[in-house]
Amino acid sequence: MGLGLLASRALRSSRIFTSPNPRNAIVRTIVSTPELHNPEAAAAAQAQPDPPPTDLPGRTSVGGARVHFPNPEDAIEVFVDGYPVKIPKGMTVLQACEVAGVDIPRFCYHSRLSIAGNCRMCLVEVEKSPKPVASCAMPALPGMKIKTDTPVAKKAREGVMEFLLMNHPLDCPICDQGGECDLQDQSMAFGSDRGRFTEMKRSVVDKNLGPLVKTVMTRCIQCTRCVRFATEVAGVQDLGMLGRGSGEEIGTYVERLMTSELSGNVIDICPVGALTSKPFAFKARNWELKGTESIDVTDAVGSNIRIDSRGPEVMRILPRLNEDINEEWISDKTRFCYDGLKRQRLNDPMIRGADGRFKTVSWRDALAVVAEVAHQVKPEEIVGIAGQLSDAESMMVLKDFLNKMGSNNVWSEGNGMHPNADLRSGHLLNSTMSGLEKADIFLLVGTQPRVEAAMVNARIRKTVRATQAKVGYIGPATDFNYDHQHLGTGPQTLIEIAEGRHSFCSALLNAKNPAIIVGAGIFERNDKDAIFSAVETIAKHGKIIRRDWNGLNVLLLNAAQAAALDLGLVPESGKSIESAKFLYLMGADDVNLEKLPSDAFVVYQGHHGDRNVYRANVIFPAAAFSEKEGTYENTEGRAQQTLPAVPTVGDSRDDWKIIRALSEVAGIWLPYDTLSAVRSRIRTVAPNLLHMDETEPATFSALLKPEFCQKMSLTPFGAAVENFYMTDSITRASKIMAQCSALLSKK
Amino acid sequence: MSFTLRSVKVPPNSVSLQEARSRTFDFFRSACRSIPSVMEIYNLHDVATPSQLRSTIASEIRKNAHITNPKVIDMLLFKAMEELNNIVEHAKQRHHIIGQYVIGRGGLVQDLGTKDQGISNFLKNFYDSNYF
Ligand code: SF4
Ligand code: FES
């Protein structure tokens, strides 16, 4: 603060306090709500008709929350506004109020973060305590009489609001948080109707947090939620609190970006508009958006998301609460990939002409050409590959179409050429994501969960933080945001552990709930069966698969993988690409087509003009996940559904409809006309895909598998995901993701 | 010839279905009478014949054949009269007339060829749009 400013402040405030006009002075001290003028007296007046706390109807808790009593003896009873509630010991006053159905205003408290207790918005009155107490930080004690609605509490809130608004800019009309801002809402509910501050508001320099998070630091109310999120959940020590008093600021200590795959979540937890989404800045107001509850498909986790759209455009993607999968976070890829849905889209059926250029044609002509070619090749030469983002319905129809054509060469990319689809336990995250929290030791084999499945990584980190679980890792050197032991880089270490020669073995044997997580990158290795049998040997020795605990997990990479294996999309021969004459790519961009014969006819059905479109002869435009209803099975075997949020682009069609239409033109007529007809076909193959939102545990464990004696090669494990931000056709088309990965590579 | 066809003041409501019916016929007749001048104004001789236009008018009227409430019929007649006036007064342009009454709702490209015969409803709908 400059000396001049200091002087002028002093002058001004002295002018106010020594105001010569006494009437003016009275006006300045008006408290907005007159009855709060003397809170103690008012409280006393109110205390008289206190209703007796007997025979009161039960109240419903906030958001229908249920209390779980880990130990019934530990239940204590407190009184919230005269209503008795039973809560487990150790709950805070704020939680007790929530159980009683009273929502306490708060800024800094967040149920998934540690308690800071620095905003003071949650003040309530507790009988026999001399001052109002911050309910979020105060443990509830037996028999405590909590009053949330008294004049003292109201006045305390009003006072806190006034202090918070003292330095908060009056930005609401141009603030992106407007309409969903905690401060805005709570100042409407609890604030005073006028301010008493005439000084200048302080201003704070904005920080650069990278291409995802926009900062307007003047709006910050120093709740430190973002700092706690970064250190506790995201596991990066980048954000911090600098300075003291009115000079207090949130910032990165040195000029650097926030490098976390979860950084976008600070946008959601910031109660004000200090941290907002940079790509969404000034694009829309939240009340004009239509929310569609859907599923994320950029990785195999299947995070629950809400797609906010306006007209035909996806405006933003937000997380949806699902305790079993993503809690309330999502990864940056999930949150910001949506601008890829507007770029590089295929919108018309196209045929490559003699000059090598694509020509737009009608669906009629495109289907006729493909049907004709498909009949000219031998059935064995027909190959179909489903892409990473395919839904179960279209994979089912693709498989049926190819089978009817006489070919059985159909698989989903990422599953390798010899997938083992017989036992579901061989490709699922058997302990489930929430089950991972019970594990006390992790062995990660060839997987980098931080980039492969950020939400799984967040779970592991949560477990490691909570219980000091040990983590052992085999694979190429990589970044972890929790303590881990790098055991080795390749199968050599795995063999050592399997044979009991490694130092990690004893820890594994002593653990109660050991968890092994094998990366799906290993599916692509030729010695995958040998690696899996080594892992199973470890599992046998370590008693990892028991009746009450199945710790042998496979972490898949793509949204389509699990459903593809459940539906039996397994290639007949490992060399089918080399001999293919008719290749049907259903959004498959990551298969290597180098070995494809040059005279092969390639049909590309998909929503983005991505890698393999360059090799295609015919293009069928299809719908992206935000535009269709489709079933996806996540890596723990949970079937979930996407819902259409926006209309399809141009002349594109849903994937299953395209294949259904093609089958009719080709004269083999698949018998499904509606999505429910396709689903009843799925019911005969993999009924678990129709049990929405449920995990279907694998019935047979992997230990039933016959022994393999395949030679294991000693080439070290590779990284399955090279660039976290660009893994599929949508994210590769996204400009925001491109900026992120440019920063990532510069670092 | 502005506003020649419109009755000067809004006529009283039809008291019975019978009256509304005869008014409808009156309207049809006046519309048919204006066909030659409409064809002249909009130069429709090479795209339509008078009998085609007559049947278009008739089918537009028949579309509402199920309505029995005389008040609703009166309202529809009023709108029809308004439309006819607009047409006769040259308040529209040629493509409006062609789009609405000559080509109609079938669309510009009518696939009347034989290739769509024998295909399922699914495929027909598929060629039309993604939403069915
Ligand atoms: S930036 Fe937002 S989340 Fe972080 S301390 Fe400020 S108000 Fe709280
Ligand atoms: S919520 Fe209790 S002090 Fe902030």
Side-chain angles (χ1 to χ4, degrees):
Chain A
M1 200 186 292
L3 208 60
L5 185 56
L6 204 65
S8 75
R9 259 194 192 194
L11 266 181
R12 201 149 12 108
S13 45
S14 68
R15 182 160 44 85
I16 289 163
F17 287 122
T18 58
S19 166
N21 184 349
R23 220 182 299 138
N24 195 10
I26 290 167
V27 168
R28 296 226 58 84
T29 54
I30 280 183
V31 176
S32 65
T33 3
E35 63 271 23
L36 296 182
H37 222 11
N38 187 351
E40 288 74 25
Q46 251 210 351
Q48 248 73 61
D50 222 356
T54 44
D55 292 347
L56 288 167
R59 295 180 139 197
T60 38
S61 52
V62 174
R66 261 168 286 151
V67 214
H68 167 66
F69 292 92
N71 190 355
E73 288 98 72
D74 278 351
I76 55 172
E77 194 176 44
V78 297
F79 299 90
V80 178
D81 292 341
Y83 293 85
V85 280
K86 280 225 159 32
I87 51 161
K89 217 176 184 169
M91 262 197 175
T92 61
V93 172
L94 189 141
Q95 284 167 319
C97 293
E98 263 181 6
V99 173
V102 181
D103 208 356
I104 305 287
R106 85 249 351 230
F107 289 113
C108 70
Y109 176 77
H110 191 280
S111 52
R112 274 165 231 281
L113 303 176
S114 66
I115 294 167
N118 54 7
C119 75
R120 313 316 279 184
M121 190 60 196
C122 61
L123 292 176
V124 294
E125 201 183 344
V126 172
E127 209 160 86
K128 294 211 208 71
S129 100
K131 294 187 291 181
V133 299
S135 63
C136 70
M138 178 74 144
L141 300 173
M144 218 177 206
K145 295 211 171 52
I146 304 158
K147 293 190 189 128
T148 63
D149 220 12
T150 58
V152 175
K154 280 187 187 156
K155 178 144 193 248
R157 288 171 195 161
E158 203 176 289
V160 170
M161 277 314 302
E162 200 170 351
F163 277 121
L164 286 176
L165 293 177
M166 173 176 141
N167 273 325
H168 191 81
L170 301 176
D171 256 358
C172 304
I174 55 141
C175 175
D176 271 308
Q177 193 86 350
E180 50 185 359
C181 173
D182 288 357
L183 192 67
Q184 207 178 28
D185 296 347
Q186 295 186 22
S187 71
M188 292 304 289
F190 306 107
S192 147
D193 59 352
R194 66 203 74 180
R196 284 181 287 181
F197 289 93
T198 48
E199 277 108 295
M200 283 293 283
K201 291 181 189 258
R202 75 169 190 152
S203 55
V204 180
V205 181
D206 292 346
K207 312 294 182 299
N208 180 11
L209 293 186
L212 302 178
V213 182
K214 179 187 157 191
T215 62
V216 184
M217 276 317 186
T218 309
R219 296 180 188 150
C220 173
I221 56 169
Q222 277 77 37
C223 71
T224 67
R225 273 190 193 183
C226 54
V227 178
R228 281 174 286 147
F229 175 84
T231 44
E232 289 163 22
V233 179
V236 289
Q237 316 289 333
D238 289 354
L239 282 182
M241 186 64 107
L242 318 164
R244 277 270 163 179
S246 68
E248 196 165 275
E249 289 180 21
I250 297 291
T252 47
Y253 300 109
V254 284
E255 174 64 20
R256 63 183 284 195
L257 308 171
M258 200 172 154
T259 49
S260 163
E261 66 288 349
L262 299 177
S263 65
N265 292 300
V266 297
I267 297 165
D268 288 340
I269 59 165
C270 181
V272 297
L275 306 177
T276 51
S277 163
K278 206 174 243 177
F280 182 65
F282 309 130
K283 288 284 190 308
R285 283 306 202 177
N286 65 72
W287 55 83
E288 35 178 38
L289 301 178
K290 180 188 85 172
T292 310
E293 310 212 321
S294 192
I295 299 300
D296 167 50
V297 298
T298 52
D299 55 25
V301 173
S303 302
N304 287 207
I305 55 171
R306 193 180 87 208
I307 301 178
D308 276 355
S309 57
R310 188 177 59 188
E313 207 179 342
V314 175
M315 299 307 291
R316 63 173 176 181
I317 291 179
L318 293 179
R320 199 149 53 88
L321 180 70
N322 189 331
E323 292 291 347
D324 291 328
I325 303 175
N326 54 324
E327 301 181 272
E328 62 187 84
W329 322 121
I330 50 174
S331 72
D332 286 353
K333 187 163 56 165
T334 308
R335 187 184 296 265
F336 294 110
C337 70
Y338 61 86
D339 76 324
L341 292 168
K342 292 176 225 160
R343 280 162 221 277
Q344 294 269 0
R345 289 301 295 267
L346 302 171
N347 53 3
D348 279 310
M350 282 184 261
I351 297 184
R352 196 187 287 276
D355 55 351
R357 286 172 179 278
F358 280 116
K359 220 168 69 237
T360 306
V361 294
S362 72
W363 273 105
R364 238 183 221 87
D365 300 341
L367 290 178
V369 167
V370 173
E372 202 188 312
V373 177
H375 277 303
Q376 281 164 2
V377 298
K378 288 202 226 90
E380 320 73 89
E381 292 166 347
I382 299 180
V383 172
I385 307 175
Q388 304 182 4
L389 308 177
S390 315
D391 52 315
E393 285 86 357
S394 49
M395 287 193 286
M396 184 78 258
V397 180
L398 177 69
K399 181 170 159 62
D400 281 353
F401 173 64
L402 258 69
N403 289 0
K404 277 212 167 183
M405 294 292 290
S407 153
N408 201 13
N409 277 317
V410 54
W411 71 92
S412 160
E413 63 183 356
N415 280 344
M417 289 319 288
H418 306 282
N420 184 345
D422 299 338
L423 292 171
R424 282 185 81 224
S425 63
H427 59 254
L428 293 185
L429 196 77
N430 292 308
S431 359
T432 72
M433 289 188 51
S434 50
L436 283 180
E437 282 179 33
K438 289 201 221 92
D440 46 8
I441 188 162
F442 292 91
L443 176 60
L444 308 177
V445 181
T447 177
Q448 296 91 38
R450 190 163 180 194
V451 289
E452 289 175 19
M455 295 326 303
V456 172
N457 193 55
R459 283 282 174 162
I460 301 179
R461 178 174 157 80
K462 190 175 168 194
T463 316
V464 170
R465 254 181 73 87
T467 65
Q468 265 71 47
K470 269 178 114 178
V471 179
Y473 166 69
I474 308 176
T478 177
D479 255 2
F480 275 93
N481 47 8
Y482 37 81
D483 280 342
H484 71 287
Q485 245 177 301
H486 194 175
L487 306 175
T489 55
Q492 185 61 41
T493 323
L494 200 63
I495 296 173
E496 278 171 23
I497 298 179
E499 290 170 354
R501 287 188 276 124
H502 201 277
S503 56
F504 197 70
C505 283
S506 60
L508 209 55
L509 289 179
N510 292 334
K512 256 205 356 253
N513 292 329
I516 303 185
I517 302 180
V518 185
I522 290 179
F523 284 165
E524 303 281 4
R525 283 173 68 108
N526 287 330
D527 57 346
K528 99 172 217 300
D529 287 322
I531 290 175
F532 270 93
S533 67
V535 170
E536 277 148 23
T537 321
I538 301 175
K540 233 179 266 175
H541 292 325
K543 303 237 178 343
I544 284 170
I545 303 175
R546 303 188 304 255
R547 187 164 301 240
D548 58 332
W549 171 253
N550 187 345
L552 184 54
N553 300 301
V554 178
L555 181 57
L556 297 179
L557 289 170
N558 310 330
Q561 260 177 314
L565 291 172
D566 273 5
L567 292 171
L569 263 73
V570 175
E572 202 166 40
S573 83
K575 296 246 177 303
S576 34
I577 286 203
E578 283 88 325
S579 59
K581 285 273 148 40
F582 177 85
L583 181 61
Y584 200 98
L585 299 172
M586 195 168 73
D589 287 302
D590 293 274
V591 280
N592 194 347
L593 296 185
E594 261 164 32
K595 295 209 198 88
L596 187 74
S598 55
D599 60 339
F601 187 83
V602 179
V603 181
Y604 184 89
Q605 165 184 334
H607 38 79
H608 276 80
D610 205 34
R611 292 179 187 164
N612 283 346
V613 166
Y614 295 104
R615 179 61 185 81
N617 297 78
V618 174
I619 293 175
F620 290 153
F625 77 100
S626 55
E627 295 149 13
K628 66 181 171 189
E629 187 180 337
T631 307
Y632 289 88
E633 185 182 354
N634 79 352
T635 180
E636 28 168 24
R638 183 189 305 268
Q640 301 183 101
Q641 224 170 50
T642 58
L643 288 176
V646 290
T648 47
V649 175
D651 211 10
S652 56
R653 304 279 190 266
D654 290 350
D655 286 282
W656 73 269
K657 284 181 184 160
I658 298 174
I659 304 174
R660 159 68 181 78
L662 177 63
S663 78
E664 182 172 338
V665 175
I668 50 173
W669 212 303
L670 294 171
Y672 330 115
D673 278 356
T674 56
L675 202 57
S676 52
V678 182
R679 296 224 170 108
S680 36
R681 165 75 180 126
I682 290 180
R683 176 165 294 125
T684 62
V685 182
N688 58 300
L689 286 175
L690 299 176
H691 303 159
M692 283 305 148
D693 299 331
E694 277 172 36
T695 37
E696 188 93 355
T699 25
F700 300 106
S701 79
L703 297 186
L704 291 177
K705 253 194 349 202
E707 293 280 329
F708 269 105
C709 18
Q710 197 187 21
K711 190 92 187 68
M712 203 187 293
S713 81
L714 292 182
T715 31
F717 297 130
V721 174
E722 275 149 40
N723 182 350
F724 168 70
Y725 293 106
M726 293 189 153
T727 48
D728 51 63
S729 55
I730 297 177
T731 46
R732 278 193 288 261
S734 155
K735 192 174 153 197
I736 308 168
M737 292 291 104
Q739 287 168 350
C740 288
S741 60
L743 279 176
L744 191 76
S745 56
K746 221 190 300 169
K747 182 167 66 88
Chain B
M1 56 186 294
S2 74
F3 301 105
T4 41
L5 290 169
R6 189 194 287 171
S7 14
V8 185
K9 59 183 192 319
V10 177
N13 284 346
S14 313
V15 281
S16 65
L17 191 59
Q18 213 51 49
E19 192 183 340
R21 190 176 148 81
S22 66
R23 279 193 191 179
T24 313
F25 282 113
D26 286 348
F27 167 75
F28 180 61
R29 275 183 218 112
S30 53
C32 289
R33 260 178 244 124
S34 55
I35 284 181
S37 60
V38 170
M39 297 198 54
E40 200 56 48
I41 296 168
Y42 297 98
N43 202 4
L44 298 177
H45 292 289
D46 45 354
V47 291
T49 60
S51 75
Q52 265 177 4
L53 289 184
R54 251 192 316 273
S55 52
T56 313
I57 298 168
S59 71
E60 288 289 311
I61 293 175
R62 287 222 173 82
K63 242 196 264 163
N64 298 316
H66 58 283
I67 292 169
T68 51
N69 184 346
K71 277 190 183 164
V72 177
I73 298 178
D74 279 354
M75 184 269 292
L76 289 171
L77 275 177
F78 187 83
K79 288 169 95 173
M81 193 56 96
E82 198 61 36
E83 174 80 5
L84 181 61
N85 258 310
N86 285 343
I87 292 173
V88 173
E89 282 163 17
H90 209 160
K92 300 201 167 209
Q93 291 176 3
R94 188 169 183 252
H95 67 271
H96 293 128
I97 308 297
I98 294 179
Q100 282 176 49
Y101 299 108
V102 177
I103 292 165
R105 285 172 218 284
L108 256 183
V109 193
Q110 272 174 328
D111 264 306
L112 297 171
T114 49
K115 56 183 173 178
D116 267 3
Q117 275 166 12
I119 68 171
S120 69
N121 272 335
F122 178 90
L123 201 54
K124 269 186 211 146
N125 292 333
F126 179 85
Y127 287 146
D128 270 357
S129 89
N130 189 33
Y131 296 100
F132 55 88

